[in-house]
Amino acid sequence: MNLRSPHLLGIEPLASEEITLILDTAESLAQISQREIKKVPTLRGRTVVNFFVEPSTRTRSSFEIAEKRLSADSLNFSPGASSLVKGETLADTARNLEAMAPDFIVIRHSEPGAPHMLARICRCSVINAGDGAHEHPTQALLDAYTIRQKKGRIAGLRVAIVGDILHSRVVRSNIFLLRKMGAEVVLSGPPTLIPQGIERLGVKVEGRIEAALEGVDVIMMLRVQLERQTRGYFPSLREYFRLYGLTAPRVRLARPDAIIMHPGPINRGVEIDSEVADGPWSVILEQVTNGVAVRMAVLYLLSGGAGGGAEEEIRNPEA
Amino acid sequence: MVEKGPVQIMDAATVGRTLTRIAHQILEKNKTTTGLALVGIQTRGVPMARRLAAAIREIEGRDVPVGVLDINLYRDDLSLIAEHPVLKKTEIPFKLNSKRIVLVDDVLFTGRTVRAALEGLIDLGRPRLIQLAVLVDRGHRELPIRPDYVGKNVPTSLRELVEVRFLETDGEDAVLIRPTPPEAPEAGGRAGMAGQGPERASGRHPEEADRVKQAREGPHDEEPTGRGGGGGAAW
């Protein structure tokens, strides 16, 4: 089985079997990162352009490590965002990238839909590494991998997601994924940061964090994007922590074996207490480790579409 | 074209006796179980390696460790095939360094699987030596690779398929030879190999055709054997 699309643009278009395939493949690839020679020759001779128009350290590093462990050649292309906000310019940049004949473009962009546009222009596989507040599929996949690793399943679990739902692409991808895989999702956060009508995606919304955490198997905390505070979405960081910060007493409302996740980077004392972030429930660092395996899986599975029929003739000398 | 049915060339008793004989040969050649380890190539090399380990335990009263190797990341045709094989686990629960490794697979054909396995093993450590045990050697090597232990030499034509069935994976022990299905003539076989054949849409292709030694055989998925995408034969 392969993925149906040569691109990974979001979780929304994926079927649940495709998600399972990615997670299973990641499980097989995870061992490579644990051995002495952390490299396999699988993507030898393939080129990956990491096209990051928005700043990102961990996602880009994670992709880079995944690419290197599969022996792909990678190059980082991070122009200043200002010259690329217009769609036209992005199209031109895309054509320029395309002219270098990469096999993959991994794109992070502040504009939702930028990866989709790239996918229409380019012949290579496009992987969305986050587009505006739209989707961040590999983050949702690594979250799902971590949940499956810790809980043995995703279906039937209760997952609370707390924080800035409005601006978060991680949330959107996670909602799509968790709903497709049969988990229940409860959201909580300041009312100003919860989009109207989000219930249509099949999730519950609780105003109070305590109500959202009641009996859940998984707690996903979102980073408070500190720049939002100045725009008046909530009065102060201290108040945010008082109302929505994850503290040990609040964690105890969840199931005793609940796990705590965070896409990083964490703001200690804003959305999460240090005691909790470093506590036994936390799987935050395992998420980072799993991110590499999941991104390797995506690269591996998408690279399948690239073979050509013409080469096949050469290789088939039996006739 | 008249369709010939599959021909059984080994039954359960023969498979059992053959594995016992190979176990004896492994002991005879290596003289000791100390430092000896078996590594089965996914999928059917794995039950075979476990059977050999059990036979060695019977004979010698000593356990030899068994590892599992998936070679797909080391295949030499990954850039050629349209649909990637499903990856399985590699689990070697012992250090390879200075071990005597017996690599185990069900069928030896072109030798490309074994080449990939050698590369995969050497990435995991530096064994003292690597030997190769196969249940069936069907010839048609494309690389200079020679088995140390062979269950049965089976001269085949390129148009035939060798199918090894183990109790653990297929519900019975047997080795069969099947003719290539008549509806898949050479041209069709090529299309299948390029991943553009009908099996691509069916989604059943990778598990089976992933075996490099099968690669030239064509779209065996068209065979109405009723095996699902997960199990299936080694070719």
Side-chain angles (χ1 to χ4, degrees), chain A residues 1-2 27-28 35 39-42 300 303-304 312-313 315-316 318-319, chain B residues 73-74 78-85 87 89 123 190 193-194 206 216:
Chain A
M1 183 184 168
N2 252 32
E27 225 175 271
S28 298
R35 52 197 226 190
K39 204 176 184 77
V40 291
T42 313
Y300 172 76
S303 70
E312 214 43 54
E313 292 298 316
R315 204 195 106 72
N316 202 13
E318 88 214 59
Chain B
L73 294 168
Y74 291 91
L78 279 177
S79 62
L80 304 175
I81 48 178
E83 191 161 331
H84 271 189
L87 293 186
K89 288 270 161 57
D123 266 6
R190 277 198 201 177
M193 201 185 146
R216 307 168 116 222

PDB file of all heavy atoms in Angstrom, chain A residues 1-2 27-28 35 39-42 300 303-304 312-313 315-316 318-319, chain B residues 73-74 78-85 87 89 123 190 193-194 206 216:
ATOM      1  N   MET A   1       0.838  -1.200   0.000  1.00  0.00           N
ATOM      2  CA  MET A   1       0.000   0.000   0.000  1.00  0.00           C
ATOM      3  C   MET A   1       0.869   1.245   0.000  1.00  0.00           C
ATOM      4  O   MET A   1       1.912   1.296   0.618  1.00  0.00           O
ATOM      5  CB  MET A   1      -0.868  -0.014   1.260  1.00  0.00           C
ATOM      6  CG  MET A   1      -1.831   1.157   1.298  1.00  0.00           C
ATOM      7  SD  MET A   1      -2.769   1.186   2.829  1.00  0.00           S
ATOM      8  CE  MET A   1      -3.482   2.820   2.712  1.00  0.00           C
ATOM      9  N   ASN A   2       0.423   2.222  -0.728  1.00  0.00           N
ATOM     10  CA  ASN A   2       1.116   3.497  -0.759  1.00  0.00           C
ATOM     11  C   ASN A   2       0.143   4.603  -0.386  1.00  0.00           C
ATOM     12  O   ASN A   2      -1.050   4.389  -0.328  1.00  0.00           O
ATOM     13  CB  ASN A   2       1.654   3.762  -2.168  1.00  0.00           C
ATOM     14  CG  ASN A   2       3.158   3.635  -2.224  1.00  0.00           C
ATOM     15  OD1 ASN A   2       3.726   2.840  -1.490  1.00  0.00           O
ATOM     16  ND2 ASN A   2       3.773   4.400  -3.076  1.00  0.00           N
ATOM     17  N   GLU A  27       7.284   3.194  12.891  1.00  0.00           N
ATOM     18  CA  GLU A  27       7.689   2.240  13.925  1.00  0.00           C
ATOM     19  C   GLU A  27       8.868   1.389  13.439  1.00  0.00           C
ATOM     20  O   GLU A  27       9.782   1.096  14.203  1.00  0.00           O
ATOM     21  CB  GLU A  27       6.491   1.347  14.233  1.00  0.00           C
ATOM     22  CG  GLU A  27       6.233   1.131  15.696  1.00  0.00           C
ATOM     23  CD  GLU A  27       4.965   0.333  15.888  1.00  0.00           C
ATOM     24  OE1 GLU A  27       3.900   0.959  15.969  1.00  0.00           O
ATOM     25  OE2 GLU A  27       5.036  -0.914  15.945  1.00  0.00           O
ATOM     26  N   SER A  28       8.820   1.006  12.155  1.00  0.00           N
ATOM     27  CA  SER A  28       9.918   0.212  11.607  1.00  0.00           C
ATOM     28  C   SER A  28      11.189   1.041  11.460  1.00  0.00           C
ATOM     29  O   SER A  28      12.298   0.511  11.552  1.00  0.00           O
ATOM     30  CB  SER A  28       9.531  -0.354  10.242  1.00  0.00           C
ATOM     31  OG  SER A  28       8.425  -1.209  10.357  1.00  0.00           O
ATOM     32  N   ARG A  35      20.663   2.872  16.630  1.00  0.00           N
ATOM     33  CA  ARG A  35      21.837   2.032  16.462  1.00  0.00           C
ATOM     34  C   ARG A  35      23.089   2.875  16.265  1.00  0.00           C
ATOM     35  O   ARG A  35      23.019   4.105  16.272  1.00  0.00           O
ATOM     36  CB  ARG A  35      21.614   1.077  15.296  1.00  0.00           C
ATOM     37  CG  ARG A  35      21.189   1.787  14.045  1.00  0.00           C
ATOM     38  CD  ARG A  35      20.603   0.809  13.077  1.00  0.00           C
ATOM     39  NE  ARG A  35      21.164   1.075  11.767  1.00  0.00           N
ATOM     40  CZ  ARG A  35      20.738   0.527  10.649  1.00  0.00           C
ATOM     41  NH1 ARG A  35      19.754  -0.339  10.687  1.00  0.00           N
ATOM     42  NH2 ARG A  35      21.287   0.830   9.510  1.00  0.00           N
ATOM     43  N   LYS A  39      22.074   5.485   9.837  1.00  0.00           N
ATOM     44  CA  LYS A  39      21.890   5.886   8.459  1.00  0.00           C
ATOM     45  C   LYS A  39      21.590   4.662   7.615  1.00  0.00           C
ATOM     46  O   LYS A  39      22.228   3.631   7.768  1.00  0.00           O
ATOM     47  CB  LYS A  39      23.192   6.536   7.967  1.00  0.00           C
ATOM     48  CG  LYS A  39      23.052   7.488   6.822  1.00  0.00           C
ATOM     49  CD  LYS A  39      24.412   8.114   6.533  1.00  0.00           C
ATOM     50  CE  LYS A  39      24.367   9.153   5.464  1.00  0.00           C
ATOM     51  NZ  LYS A  39      23.840  10.434   5.855  1.00  0.00           N
ATOM     52  N   VAL A  40      20.607   4.794   6.740  1.00  0.00           N
ATOM     53  CA  VAL A  40      20.344   3.750   5.758  1.00  0.00           C
ATOM     54  C   VAL A  40      20.398   4.390   4.370  1.00  0.00           C
ATOM     55  O   VAL A  40      20.179   5.587   4.234  1.00  0.00           O
ATOM     56  CB  VAL A  40      18.969   3.072   5.985  1.00  0.00           C
ATOM     57  CG1 VAL A  40      18.972   2.250   7.249  1.00  0.00           C
ATOM     58  CG2 VAL A  40      17.858   4.095   6.010  1.00  0.00           C
ATOM     59  N   PRO A  41      20.702   3.604   3.343  1.00  0.00           N
ATOM     60  CA  PRO A  41      20.945   4.214   2.021  1.00  0.00           C
ATOM     61  C   PRO A  41      19.686   4.467   1.205  1.00  0.00           C
ATOM     62  O   PRO A  41      19.772   4.735   0.017  1.00  0.00           O
ATOM     63  CB  PRO A  41      21.830   3.159   1.337  1.00  0.00           C
ATOM     64  CG  PRO A  41      21.407   1.877   1.954  1.00  0.00           C
ATOM     65  CD  PRO A  41      20.975   2.176   3.350  1.00  0.00           C
ATOM     66  N   THR A  42      18.534   4.396   1.842  1.00  0.00           N
ATOM     67  CA  THR A  42      17.270   4.323   1.108  1.00  0.00           C
ATOM     68  C   THR A  42      17.026   5.485   0.135  1.00  0.00           C
ATOM     69  O   THR A  42      16.546   5.292  -0.970  1.00  0.00           O
ATOM     70  CB  THR A  42      16.111   4.242   2.112  1.00  0.00           C
ATOM     71  OG1 THR A  42      16.461   3.255   3.070  1.00  0.00           O
ATOM     72  CG2 THR A  42      14.817   3.870   1.461  1.00  0.00           C
ATOM     73  N   TYR A 300       9.986   8.368   3.159  1.00  0.00           N
ATOM     74  CA  TYR A 300      10.082   7.037   2.546  1.00  0.00           C
ATOM     75  C   TYR A 300       8.845   6.738   1.706  1.00  0.00           C
ATOM     76  O   TYR A 300       8.946   6.330   0.547  1.00  0.00           O
ATOM     77  CB  TYR A 300      10.249   5.974   3.633  1.00  0.00           C
ATOM     78  CG  TYR A 300      10.150   4.561   3.101  1.00  0.00           C
ATOM     79  CD1 TYR A 300      11.198   3.984   2.404  1.00  0.00           C
ATOM     80  CD2 TYR A 300       8.994   3.818   3.285  1.00  0.00           C
ATOM     81  CE1 TYR A 300      11.104   2.696   1.900  1.00  0.00           C
ATOM     82  CE2 TYR A 300       8.884   2.531   2.788  1.00  0.00           C
ATOM     83  CZ  TYR A 300       9.942   1.969   2.096  1.00  0.00           C
ATOM     84  OH  TYR A 300       9.826   0.703   1.593  1.00  0.00           O
ATOM     85  N   SER A 303       8.491   8.932  -1.430  1.00  0.00           N
ATOM     86  CA  SER A 303       9.522   8.738  -2.454  1.00  0.00           C
ATOM     87  C   SER A 303       9.152   7.601  -3.390  1.00  0.00           C
ATOM     88  O   SER A 303       9.741   7.437  -4.439  1.00  0.00           O
ATOM     89  CB  SER A 303      10.876   8.465  -1.808  1.00  0.00           C
ATOM     90  OG  SER A 303      10.864   7.183  -1.213  1.00  0.00           O
ATOM     91  N   GLY A 304       8.147   6.828  -3.039  1.00  0.00           N
ATOM     92  CA  GLY A 304       7.741   5.705  -3.874  1.00  0.00           C
ATOM     93  C   GLY A 304       7.152   6.131  -5.197  1.00  0.00           C
ATOM     94  O   GLY A 304       7.218   5.412  -6.167  1.00  0.00           O
ATOM     95  N   GLU A 312      12.726   1.355 -16.060  1.00  0.00           N
ATOM     96  CA  GLU A 312      12.302  -0.007 -15.827  1.00  0.00           C
ATOM     97  C   GLU A 312      12.695  -0.907 -16.994  1.00  0.00           C
ATOM     98  O   GLU A 312      13.117  -2.033 -16.816  1.00  0.00           O
ATOM     99  CB  GLU A 312      10.786  -0.003 -15.662  1.00  0.00           C
ATOM    100  CG  GLU A 312      10.281  -1.010 -14.709  1.00  0.00           C
ATOM    101  CD  GLU A 312      11.126  -1.073 -13.460  1.00  0.00           C
ATOM    102  OE1 GLU A 312      11.352  -0.056 -12.796  1.00  0.00           O
ATOM    103  OE2 GLU A 312      11.576  -2.186 -13.182  1.00  0.00           O
ATOM    104  N   GLU A 313      12.547  -0.384 -18.179  1.00  0.00           N
ATOM    105  CA  GLU A 313      12.877  -1.163 -19.368  1.00  0.00           C
ATOM    106  C   GLU A 313      14.345  -1.577 -19.358  1.00  0.00           C
ATOM    107  O   GLU A 313      14.688  -2.688 -19.701  1.00  0.00           O
ATOM    108  CB  GLU A 313      12.592  -0.337 -20.639  1.00  0.00           C
ATOM    109  CG  GLU A 313      11.099  -0.084 -20.882  1.00  0.00           C
ATOM    110  CD  GLU A 313      10.323  -1.363 -21.098  1.00  0.00           C
ATOM    111  OE1 GLU A 313      10.817  -2.227 -21.837  1.00  0.00           O
ATOM    112  OE2 GLU A 313       9.237  -1.512 -20.509  1.00  0.00           O
ATOM    113  N   ARG A 315      16.192  -2.015 -16.813  1.00  0.00           N
ATOM    114  CA  ARG A 315      16.492  -2.946 -15.742  1.00  0.00           C
ATOM    115  C   ARG A 315      15.936  -4.338 -15.997  1.00  0.00           C
ATOM    116  O   ARG A 315      16.127  -5.234 -15.211  1.00  0.00           O
ATOM    117  CB  ARG A 315      15.870  -2.411 -14.457  1.00  0.00           C
ATOM    118  CG  ARG A 315      16.554  -2.930 -13.201  1.00  0.00           C
ATOM    119  CD  ARG A 315      15.686  -2.679 -12.000  1.00  0.00           C
ATOM    120  NE  ARG A 315      15.055  -3.888 -11.511  1.00  0.00           N
ATOM    121  CZ  ARG A 315      15.679  -4.855 -10.881  1.00  0.00           C
ATOM    122  NH1 ARG A 315      16.950  -4.785 -10.671  1.00  0.00           N
ATOM    123  NH2 ARG A 315      15.044  -5.917 -10.455  1.00  0.00           N
ATOM    124  N   ASN A 316      15.232  -4.516 -17.042  1.00  0.00           N
ATOM    125  CA  ASN A 316      14.487  -5.747 -17.204  1.00  0.00           C
ATOM    126  C   ASN A 316      15.038  -6.538 -18.375  1.00  0.00           C
ATOM    127  O   ASN A 316      14.430  -6.640 -19.419  1.00  0.00           O
ATOM    128  CB  ASN A 316      13.019  -5.380 -17.445  1.00  0.00           C
ATOM    129  CG  ASN A 316      12.119  -6.553 -17.094  1.00  0.00           C
ATOM    130  OD1 ASN A 316      12.558  -7.511 -16.468  1.00  0.00           O
ATOM    131  ND2 ASN A 316      10.890  -6.456 -17.515  1.00  0.00           N
ATOM    132  N   GLU A 318      15.550  -9.621 -19.074  1.00  0.00           N
ATOM    133  CA  GLU A 318      15.323 -11.053 -19.233  1.00  0.00           C
ATOM    134  C   GLU A 318      14.759 -11.411 -20.598  1.00  0.00           C
ATOM    135  O   GLU A 318      14.888 -12.534 -21.046  1.00  0.00           O
ATOM    136  CB  GLU A 318      14.392 -11.567 -18.138  1.00  0.00           C
ATOM    137  CG  GLU A 318      12.919 -11.463 -18.474  1.00  0.00           C
ATOM    138  CD  GLU A 318      12.114 -11.182 -17.234  1.00  0.00           C
ATOM    139  OE1 GLU A 318      12.352 -10.161 -16.589  1.00  0.00           O
ATOM    140  OE2 GLU A 318      11.269 -11.987 -16.904  1.00  0.00           O
ATOM    141  N   ALA A 319      14.108 -10.469 -21.267  1.00  0.00           N
ATOM    142  CA  ALA A 319      13.448 -10.801 -22.525  1.00  0.00           C
ATOM    143  C   ALA A 319      14.464 -11.073 -23.635  1.00  0.00           C
ATOM    144  O   ALA A 319      15.554 -10.522 -23.618  1.00  0.00           O
ATOM    145  CB  ALA A 319      12.518  -9.668 -22.937  1.00  0.00           C
TER     146      ALA A 319
ATOM    147  N   LEU B  73      14.965  -1.270   3.177  1.00  0.00           N
ATOM    148  CA  LEU B  73      15.652   0.029   3.111  1.00  0.00           C
ATOM    149  C   LEU B  73      16.958  -0.076   2.326  1.00  0.00           C
ATOM    150  O   LEU B  73      17.546   0.932   1.970  1.00  0.00           O
ATOM    151  CB  LEU B  73      15.944   0.528   4.526  1.00  0.00           C
ATOM    152  CG  LEU B  73      14.700   0.876   5.340  1.00  0.00           C
ATOM    153  CD1 LEU B  73      15.061   1.071   6.796  1.00  0.00           C
ATOM    154  CD2 LEU B  73      14.037   2.125   4.791  1.00  0.00           C
ATOM    155  N   TYR B  74      17.404  -1.301   2.073  1.00  0.00           N
ATOM    156  CA  TYR B  74      18.687  -1.510   1.391  1.00  0.00           C
ATOM    157  C   TYR B  74      18.519  -2.035  -0.029  1.00  0.00           C
ATOM    158  O   TYR B  74      19.489  -2.409  -0.667  1.00  0.00           O
ATOM    159  CB  TYR B  74      19.553  -2.467   2.215  1.00  0.00           C
ATOM    160  CG  TYR B  74      20.010  -1.857   3.502  1.00  0.00           C
ATOM    161  CD1 TYR B  74      19.274  -1.991   4.659  1.00  0.00           C
ATOM    162  CD2 TYR B  74      21.180  -1.089   3.554  1.00  0.00           C
ATOM    163  CE1 TYR B  74      19.676  -1.396   5.842  1.00  0.00           C
ATOM    164  CE2 TYR B  74      21.592  -0.498   4.718  1.00  0.00           C
ATOM    165  CZ  TYR B  74      20.834  -0.658   5.861  1.00  0.00           C
ATOM    166  OH  TYR B  74      21.247  -0.062   7.019  1.00  0.00           O
ATOM    167  N   LEU B  78      14.907   0.703  -5.258  1.00  0.00           N
ATOM    168  CA  LEU B  78      13.909   1.596  -4.658  1.00  0.00           C
ATOM    169  C   LEU B  78      13.608   2.791  -5.546  1.00  0.00           C
ATOM    170  O   LEU B  78      12.498   3.311  -5.549  1.00  0.00           O
ATOM    171  CB  LEU B  78      14.386   2.077  -3.283  1.00  0.00           C
ATOM    172  CG  LEU B  78      14.160   1.091  -2.140  1.00  0.00           C
ATOM    173  CD1 LEU B  78      14.741   1.637  -0.855  1.00  0.00           C
ATOM    174  CD2 LEU B  78      12.682   0.782  -1.961  1.00  0.00           C
ATOM    175  N   SER B  79      14.618   3.226  -6.300  1.00  0.00           N
ATOM    176  CA  SER B  79      14.360   4.388  -7.145  1.00  0.00           C
ATOM    177  C   SER B  79      13.632   3.991  -8.423  1.00  0.00           C
ATOM    178  O   SER B  79      13.245   4.835  -9.209  1.00  0.00           O
ATOM    179  CB  SER B  79      15.667   5.092  -7.483  1.00  0.00           C
ATOM    180  OG  SER B  79      16.488   4.205  -8.199  1.00  0.00           O
ATOM    181  N   LEU B  80      13.445   2.697  -8.628  1.00  0.00           N
ATOM    182  CA  LEU B  80      12.811   2.245  -9.857  1.00  0.00           C
ATOM    183  C   LEU B  80      11.354   1.859  -9.662  1.00  0.00           C
ATOM    184  O   LEU B  80      10.549   1.982 -10.573  1.00  0.00           O
ATOM    185  CB  LEU B  80      13.566   1.019 -10.413  1.00  0.00           C
ATOM    186  CG  LEU B  80      15.053   1.234 -10.668  1.00  0.00           C
ATOM    187  CD1 LEU B  80      15.690  -0.068 -11.098  1.00  0.00           C
ATOM    188  CD2 LEU B  80      15.257   2.296 -11.728  1.00  0.00           C
ATOM    189  N   ILE B  81      11.040   1.363  -8.482  1.00  0.00           N
ATOM    190  CA  ILE B  81       9.680   0.872  -8.297  1.00  0.00           C
ATOM    191  C   ILE B  81       8.763   2.008  -7.869  1.00  0.00           C
ATOM    192  O   ILE B  81       9.151   2.885  -7.111  1.00  0.00           O
ATOM    193  CB  ILE B  81       9.621  -0.265  -7.261  1.00  0.00           C
ATOM    194  CG1 ILE B  81      10.394   0.107  -6.005  1.00  0.00           C
ATOM    195  CG2 ILE B  81      10.158  -1.542  -7.861  1.00  0.00           C
ATOM    196  CD1 ILE B  81      10.335  -0.934  -4.931  1.00  0.00           C
ATOM    197  N   ALA B  82       7.566   1.985  -8.403  1.00  0.00           N
ATOM    198  CA  ALA B  82       6.640   3.080  -8.139  1.00  0.00           C
ATOM    199  C   ALA B  82       6.054   2.972  -6.744  1.00  0.00           C
ATOM    200  O   ALA B  82       5.811   3.964  -6.082  1.00  0.00           O
ATOM    201  CB  ALA B  82       5.526   3.074  -9.175  1.00  0.00           C
ATOM    202  N   GLU B  83       5.818   1.768  -6.295  1.00  0.00           N
ATOM    203  CA  GLU B  83       5.171   1.618  -5.007  1.00  0.00           C
ATOM    204  C   GLU B  83       6.137   0.998  -4.010  1.00  0.00           C
ATOM    205  O   GLU B  83       6.683  -0.067  -4.256  1.00  0.00           O
ATOM    206  CB  GLU B  83       3.934   0.737  -5.144  1.00  0.00           C
ATOM    207  CG  GLU B  83       3.085   0.762  -3.927  1.00  0.00           C
ATOM    208  CD  GLU B  83       1.672   0.284  -4.228  1.00  0.00           C
ATOM    209  OE1 GLU B  83       1.213   0.466  -5.359  1.00  0.00           O
ATOM    210  OE2 GLU B  83       1.061  -0.285  -3.316  1.00  0.00           O
ATOM    211  N   HIS B  84       6.336   1.676  -2.916  1.00  0.00           N
ATOM    212  CA  HIS B  84       7.314   1.181  -1.966  1.00  0.00           C
ATOM    213  C   HIS B  84       6.778   0.028  -1.139  1.00  0.00           C
ATOM    214  O   HIS B  84       5.628   0.023  -0.750  1.00  0.00           O
ATOM    215  CB  HIS B  84       7.743   2.308  -1.040  1.00  0.00           C
ATOM    216  CG  HIS B  84       8.899   3.061  -1.600  1.00  0.00           C
ATOM    217  ND1 HIS B  84       9.593   3.992  -0.896  1.00  0.00           N
ATOM    218  CD2 HIS B  84       9.488   2.989  -2.803  1.00  0.00           C
ATOM    219  CE1 HIS B  84      10.557   4.477  -1.650  1.00  0.00           C
ATOM    220  NE2 HIS B  84      10.502   3.898  -2.810  1.00  0.00           N
ATOM    221  N   PRO B  85       7.640  -0.933  -0.868  1.00  0.00           N
ATOM    222  CA  PRO B  85       7.223  -2.050  -0.033  1.00  0.00           C
ATOM    223  C   PRO B  85       6.939  -1.598   1.401  1.00  0.00           C
ATOM    224  O   PRO B  85       7.505  -0.627   1.871  1.00  0.00           O
ATOM    225  CB  PRO B  85       8.429  -2.983  -0.063  1.00  0.00           C
ATOM    226  CG  PRO B  85       9.572  -2.141  -0.488  1.00  0.00           C
ATOM    227  CD  PRO B  85       9.009  -1.063  -1.345  1.00  0.00           C
ATOM    228  N   LEU B  87       7.393  -1.538   5.104  1.00  0.00           N
ATOM    229  CA  LEU B  87       8.557  -1.828   5.947  1.00  0.00           C
ATOM    230  C   LEU B  87       8.156  -2.700   7.113  1.00  0.00           C
ATOM    231  O   LEU B  87       7.128  -2.495   7.727  1.00  0.00           O
ATOM    232  CB  LEU B  87       9.136  -0.528   6.505  1.00  0.00           C
ATOM    233  CG  LEU B  87       9.760   0.426   5.513  1.00  0.00           C
ATOM    234  CD1 LEU B  87      10.409   1.565   6.276  1.00  0.00           C
ATOM    235  CD2 LEU B  87      10.786  -0.281   4.662  1.00  0.00           C
ATOM    236  N   LYS B  89       9.801  -4.858  10.721  1.00  0.00           N
ATOM    237  CA  LYS B  89      10.767  -4.620  11.784  1.00  0.00           C
ATOM    238  C   LYS B  89      12.115  -5.280  11.506  1.00  0.00           C
ATOM    239  O   LYS B  89      12.178  -6.381  10.991  1.00  0.00           O
ATOM    240  CB  LYS B  89      10.235  -5.206  13.092  1.00  0.00           C
ATOM    241  CG  LYS B  89       9.105  -4.428  13.666  1.00  0.00           C
ATOM    242  CD  LYS B  89       9.623  -3.354  14.612  1.00  0.00           C
ATOM    243  CE  LYS B  89       8.599  -2.278  14.837  1.00  0.00           C
ATOM    244  NZ  LYS B  89       7.340  -2.820  15.348  1.00  0.00           N
ATOM    245  N   ASP B 123      25.823  -2.665   8.447  1.00  0.00           N
ATOM    246  CA  ASP B 123      25.505  -1.388   9.085  1.00  0.00           C
ATOM    247  C   ASP B 123      25.217  -1.550  10.573  1.00  0.00           C
ATOM    248  O   ASP B 123      25.244  -0.583  11.326  1.00  0.00           O
ATOM    249  CB  ASP B 123      24.281  -0.752   8.412  1.00  0.00           C
ATOM    250  CG  ASP B 123      24.677   0.225   7.319  1.00  0.00           C
ATOM    251  OD1 ASP B 123      25.878   0.316   7.020  1.00  0.00           O
ATOM    252  OD2 ASP B 123      23.782   0.894   6.765  1.00  0.00           O
ATOM    253  N   ARG B 190       6.234  -6.953 -17.320  1.00  0.00           N
ATOM    254  CA  ARG B 190       7.041  -5.743 -17.206  1.00  0.00           C
ATOM    255  C   ARG B 190       6.267  -4.596 -16.624  1.00  0.00           C
ATOM    256  O   ARG B 190       6.731  -3.869 -15.787  1.00  0.00           O
ATOM    257  CB  ARG B 190       7.501  -5.322 -18.592  1.00  0.00           C
ATOM    258  CG  ARG B 190       8.703  -6.060 -19.004  1.00  0.00           C
ATOM    259  CD  ARG B 190       9.314  -5.306 -20.115  1.00  0.00           C
ATOM    260  NE  ARG B 190      10.158  -6.208 -20.855  1.00  0.00           N
ATOM    261  CZ  ARG B 190      10.791  -5.832 -21.930  1.00  0.00           C
ATOM    262  NH1 ARG B 190      10.637  -4.611 -22.379  1.00  0.00           N
ATOM    263  NH2 ARG B 190      11.573  -6.659 -22.539  1.00  0.00           N
ATOM    264  N   MET B 193       6.081  -4.919 -13.079  1.00  0.00           N
ATOM    265  CA  MET B 193       7.326  -4.626 -12.418  1.00  0.00           C
ATOM    266  C   MET B 193       7.544  -3.138 -12.273  1.00  0.00           C
ATOM    267  O   MET B 193       8.078  -2.649 -11.299  1.00  0.00           O
ATOM    268  CB  MET B 193       8.438  -5.213 -13.257  1.00  0.00           C
ATOM    269  CG  MET B 193       9.664  -5.407 -12.461  1.00  0.00           C
ATOM    270  SD  MET B 193      10.924  -5.937 -13.558  1.00  0.00           S
ATOM    271  CE  MET B 193      12.271  -5.159 -12.779  1.00  0.00           C
ATOM    272  N   ALA B 194       7.064  -2.412 -13.270  1.00  0.00           N
ATOM    273  CA  ALA B 194       7.211  -0.968 -13.210  1.00  0.00           C
ATOM    274  C   ALA B 194       6.188  -0.352 -12.266  1.00  0.00           C
ATOM    275  O   ALA B 194       6.136   0.841 -12.094  1.00  0.00           O
ATOM    276  CB  ALA B 194       7.050  -0.370 -14.605  1.00  0.00           C
ATOM    277  N   PRO B 206       2.906  -4.506  -2.654  1.00  0.00           N
ATOM    278  CA  PRO B 206       4.239  -4.348  -2.101  1.00  0.00           C
ATOM    279  C   PRO B 206       4.753  -5.553  -1.327  1.00  0.00           C
ATOM    280  O   PRO B 206       5.873  -5.986  -1.548  1.00  0.00           O
ATOM    281  CB  PRO B 206       4.093  -3.155  -1.170  1.00  0.00           C
ATOM    282  CG  PRO B 206       2.643  -3.007  -0.928  1.00  0.00           C
ATOM    283  CD  PRO B 206       1.947  -3.573  -2.099  1.00  0.00           C
ATOM    284  N   ARG B 216      11.602 -10.109 -11.066  1.00  0.00           N
ATOM    285  CA  ARG B 216      11.470 -10.325 -12.490  1.00  0.00           C
ATOM    286  C   ARG B 216      10.259 -11.166 -12.827  1.00  0.00           C
ATOM    287  O   ARG B 216      10.004 -11.480 -13.972  1.00  0.00           O
ATOM    288  CB  ARG B 216      12.717 -11.037 -12.994  1.00  0.00           C
ATOM    289  CG  ARG B 216      13.951 -10.316 -12.596  1.00  0.00           C
ATOM    290  CD  ARG B 216      15.145 -11.170 -12.850  1.00  0.00           C
ATOM    291  NE  ARG B 216      15.972 -10.542 -13.859  1.00  0.00           N
ATOM    292  CZ  ARG B 216      16.541 -11.209 -14.820  1.00  0.00           C
ATOM    293  NH1 ARG B 216      16.348 -12.487 -14.946  1.00  0.00           N
ATOM    294  NH2 ARG B 216      17.290 -10.595 -15.678  1.00  0.00           N
TER     295      ARG B 216
END
